[in-house]
């Protein structure tokens, strides 16, 4: 459902619930009126959060197609509707990274981590933005945090291997690349 239709429907649902509430109040808390309120508000909530998920999901699809600006636009809508959506910040950060805007990406990863401090994927993604900016110590710190939170995170091992390699720590890089291969043997 598009934005122009769902918001009015949600507003109508809320208005209907309020009207039913008033009717129910005057009918001495009639059970039918109260049930109508519950149903109408439930529909409004489903439409609202369904819309948030639709924007988020379309953003993920656009990202996978390489439409990073379109993905960012969809994540922006999802975040306008639900500003505490940590994964939307994380994936918008990935889209910014794909466009080379690593500072904006890091801001989004920071926001995601403020909302969900144990979001391993956000630490991993922020580490790669730090890596792209040449801040290898910050990249290593973040990827280590990702692995502490999610010990079998193959991509984080691969990324930590990249950081170790950039730091000239080749044996540590080999160990991390080996761990990544072990955790995802079908990718070898």
């Amino acid at each position: 459902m598009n934005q122009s239709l769902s918001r009015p429907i949600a507003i109508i649902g809320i208005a209907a619930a309020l009207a039913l509430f008033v009717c129910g109040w005057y009918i001495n808390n009639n059970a039918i009126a109260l049930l109508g309120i519950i149903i109408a508000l439930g529909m409004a909530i489903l439409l609202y959060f369904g819309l948030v998920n639709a924007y988020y999901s379309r953003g993920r699809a656009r990202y996978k197609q390489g439409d990073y600006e379109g993905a960012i636009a969809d994540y922006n809508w999802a975040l306008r509707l639900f500003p505490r959506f940590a994964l939307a910040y994380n994936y918008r950060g990935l889209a910014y990274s794909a466009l080379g805007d690593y500072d904006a990406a890091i801001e989004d990863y920071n926001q995601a981590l403020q909302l969900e401090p144990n979001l391993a994927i956000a630490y991993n993604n922020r580490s790669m933005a730090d890596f792209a900016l040449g801040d290898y110590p910050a990249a290593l710190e973040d990827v280590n945090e990702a692995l502490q939170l999610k010990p079998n995170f193959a991509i984080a091992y691969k990324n930590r291997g990249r950081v170790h390699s950039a730091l000239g720590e080749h044996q540590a890089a080999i160990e991390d690349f080996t761990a990544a291969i072990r955790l995802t043997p079908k990718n070898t």
Side-chain angles (χ1 to χ4, degrees):
M1 182 174 296
N2 73 28
Q3 171 66 19
S4 62
L5 292 177
S6 61
R7 189 166 289 213
I9 290 171
I11 291 169
I12 290 167
I14 292 169
L18 290 174
L20 287 169
F21 175 75
V22 170
C23 290
W25 184 263
Y26 286 112
I27 303 173
N28 215 5
N29 293 327
N30 181 324
I32 294 172
L34 293 174
L35 180 60
I37 293 168
I38 292 168
I39 291 169
L41 286 175
M43 288 173 55
I45 290 167
L46 283 173
L47 287 168
Y48 184 76
F49 284 103
L51 182 63
V52 171
N53 190 47
Y55 277 115
Y56 169 75
S57 297
R58 189 172 71 180
R60 297 279 313 267
R62 284 181 165 174
Y63 177 86
K64 288 178 182 180
Q65 285 185 322
D67 179 9
Y68 306 121
E69 291 164 350
I72 289 167
D74 280 340
Y75 295 135
N76 288 344
W77 272 110
L79 290 166
R80 279 186 201 115
L81 294 168
F82 187 55
R84 299 192 51 79
F85 196 173
L87 282 175
Y89 282 107
N90 176 70
Y91 285 105
R92 187 175 71 179
L94 275 179
Y96 280 128
S97 285
L99 292 172
D101 190 350
Y102 300 110
D103 292 323
I106 289 170
E107 287 179 32
D108 274 354
Y109 301 137
N110 290 344
Q111 186 64 36
L113 290 166
Q114 184 177 2
L115 294 169
E116 286 191 39
N118 294 324
L119 191 59
I121 194 169
Y123 281 107
N124 178 69
N125 293 339
R126 188 172 69 182
S127 77
M128 288 297 89
D130 289 330
F131 182 84
L133 293 173
D135 189 351
Y136 304 136
L140 187 59
E141 182 179 334
D142 278 341
V143 77
N144 282 338
E145 185 65 28
L147 286 166
Q148 184 175 348
L149 292 168
K150 191 174 175 183
N152 292 325
F153 196 178
I155 294 170
Y157 278 106
K158 179 190 79 160
N159 290 338
R160 189 169 71 178
R162 292 177 64 199
V163 175
H164 281 306
S165 182
L167 291 169
E169 300 166 354
H170 301 295
Q171 186 56 43
I174 290 169
E175 290 170 13
D176 282 337
F177 291 137
T178 302
I181 292 167
R182 180 179 41 82
L183 290 168
T184 55
K186 64 183 172 192
N187 292 336
T188 58

